[in-house]
């Protein structure tokens, strides 16, 4: 219901005829590297999750882990907030390997937090670089807060991990590197989508709003984040200096890429007994 409401609000705000005209002019060849970069981003985040699994004594081959990750993405596509895939992985791994549910849930939660930390860190940097049409963003206090955010985000995450997720500290740095690799790959993916739409100005502004929309899309409000992500672009365009219709087109293309890759999980067979780990 919320997904439908969000999409209704989006399409009330934009010129649908202009949107369709824009779609007709897409440079499709730019979408090929966009898809490849999106897949690479998911490979990176799958490796991050496997780092956490190893911390709790669950040893999976990277190949099997990625297959399991794809299946999880398929389930995430149909549930608000994308939590279905996490639940499926926890159930399956507990059933096959008897790994405690609490440890598996901690790994899944930390995996989400790791991705969020990378997004927040990059947002602090982009807020310093992008000229937004908001008076308070031009103050020294705001710039100071953004710089403080850049300095404190990683140490703050380390403290949280030490207090709440102590078992996973051995992979803190490697997992965070994979988090940043995944998020940077998605930003490059976003750049290729913008090129496909013929957008070559205010790239950093689009990427800033894209990161903000990624946070909103994770909230359990709409199915697969569709609608919620587009709303962020619609309401942020006037402050970020981005073109409203193009921003919505960008967001819908990103969702279609996400959905297409996630649907691959429907055809993936996961046999945990064929782990390939000696």
């Amino acid at each position: 219901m919320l997904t439908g409401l969000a999409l209704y609000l989006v399409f009330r705000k934009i010129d649908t005829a202009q949107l369709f005209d824009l779609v007709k002019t897409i440079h499709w060849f730019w979408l090929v590297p966009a898809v490849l970069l999106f897949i690479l981003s998911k490979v990176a985040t799958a490796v991050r999750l496997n780092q956490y699994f190893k911390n709790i004594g669950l040893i999976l081959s990277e190949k099997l882990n990625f297959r399991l990750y794809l299946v999880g993405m398929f389930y995430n596509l149909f549930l608000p907030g994308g939590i279905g895939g996490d639940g499926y992985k926890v159930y399956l791994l507990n059933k096959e390997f008897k790994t405690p549910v609490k440890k598996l849930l901690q790994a899944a939660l930390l995996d989400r937090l790791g991705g969020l930390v990378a997004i927040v860190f990059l947002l602090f940097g982009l807020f310093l670089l992008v000229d937004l049409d908001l008076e308070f963003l031009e103050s020294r206090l705001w710039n100071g807060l953004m710089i403080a955010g850049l300095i404190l985000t990683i140490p703050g995450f380390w403290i949280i991990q030490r207090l709440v997720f102590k078992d996973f500290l051995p992979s803190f740095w490697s997992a965070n590197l994979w988090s940043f690799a995944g998020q940077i790959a998605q930003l490059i993916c976003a750049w290729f989508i913008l090129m496909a739409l013929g957008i070559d100005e205010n790239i950093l502004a689009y990427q800033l709003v894209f990161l903000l929309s990624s946070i909103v899309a994770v909230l359990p409000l709409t199915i697969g984040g569709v609608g919620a992500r587009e709303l962020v672009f619609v309401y942020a365009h006037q402050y970020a200096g981005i073109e409203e219709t193009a921003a919505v087109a960008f967001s819908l293309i990103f969702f279609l890429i996400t959905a297409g890759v996630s649907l691959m999980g429907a055809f993936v067979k996961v046999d945990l007994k064929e782990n390939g780990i000696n």
Side-chain angles (χ1 to χ4, degrees):
M1 182 177 177
L2 287 176
T3 301
L5 177 60
L7 287 173
Y8 170 74
L9 292 174
V10 167
F11 283 100
R12 275 196 62 189
K13 287 279 186 179
I14 66 171
D15 185 338
T16 53
Q18 185 181 354
L19 177 63
F20 289 130
D21 288 339
L22 182 62
V23 170
K24 293 177 184 177
T25 64
I26 288 178
H27 306 291
W28 295 99
F29 61 90
W30 284 111
L31 295 182
V32 174
V35 172
L36 292 176
L37 263 296
F38 179 81
I39 293 173
L40 284 176
S41 78
K42 292 305 174 182
V43 170
T45 51
V47 173
R48 176 187 66 204
L49 179 58
N50 209 17
Q51 296 274 306
Y52 294 142
F53 285 156
K54 290 175 182 177
N55 292 150
I56 56 176
L58 179 57
I59 309 300
L60 301 178
S61 69
E62 294 297 348
K63 179 180 178 181
L64 175 61
N65 177 64
F66 186 63
R67 292 167 72 88
L68 185 62
Y69 199 89
L70 279 176
V71 175
M73 286 178 61
F74 173 71
Y75 283 104
N76 285 345
L77 188 63
F78 302 105
L79 292 173
I83 59 174
D86 292 339
Y88 173 78
K89 284 180 282 192
V90 168
Y91 165 77
L92 204 61
L93 293 170
N94 170 258
K95 180 182 177 182
E96 182 63 31
F97 298 108
K98 309 304 178 187
T99 306
V101 171
K102 180 181 177 181
K103 296 297 184 184
L104 290 169
L105 287 174
Q106 285 182 324
L109 178 58
L110 190 57
D111 183 58
R112 293 283 178 140
L113 287 175
L116 180 61
V117 165
I119 291 174
V120 169
F121 182 90
L122 292 169
L123 275 173
F124 283 134
L126 286 173
F127 271 122
L128 287 169
L129 295 173
V130 177
D131 185 19
L132 299 175
D133 188 19
L134 290 168
E135 289 186 8
F136 71 89
L137 298 185
E138 299 176 3
S139 67
R140 291 183 179 179
L141 175 61
W142 174 261
N143 290 333
L145 289 173
M146 294 303 100
I147 294 171
L150 281 171
I151 296 171
L152 298 176
T153 297
I154 301 301
F157 186 42
W158 184 87
I159 292 172
I160 292 173
Q161 198 163 325
R162 181 173 177 80
L163 293 175
V164 185
F165 305 98
K166 195 172 183 178
D167 292 340
F168 304 92
L169 270 179
S171 65
F172 178 81
W173 291 110
S174 60
N176 274 285
L177 285 174
W178 284 113
S179 291
F180 278 99
Q183 201 53 59
I184 290 171
Q186 287 211 7
L187 286 176
I188 300 173
C189 165
W191 179 77
F192 280 122
I193 296 174
L194 292 171
M195 292 300 100
L197 291 168
I199 299 170
D200 56 9
E201 296 180 350
N202 294 328
I203 299 297
L204 291 181
Y206 280 96
Q207 291 183 327
L208 185 152
V209 180
F210 168 67
L211 290 178
L212 287 174
S213 72
S214 297
I215 295 176
V216 174
V218 172
L219 300 176
L221 300 173
T222 64
I223 296 174
V226 65
R229 190 186 292 273
E230 287 73 23
L231 273 178
V232 173
F233 276 95
V234 165
Y235 285 103
H237 85 280
Q238 58 185 319
Y239 305 110
I242 60 179
E243 206 284 314
E244 186 178 33
T245 303
V248 171
F250 162 86
S251 185
L252 290 173
I253 290 172
F254 183 80
F255 170 75
L256 290 175
I257 291 174
T258 303
V261 174
S262 299
L263 285 172
M264 292 169 56
F267 305 99
V268 171
K269 179 183 177 183
V270 177
D271 186 354
L272 296 178
K273 292 178 177 159
E274 297 180 5
N275 194 356
I277 295 292
N278 296 323

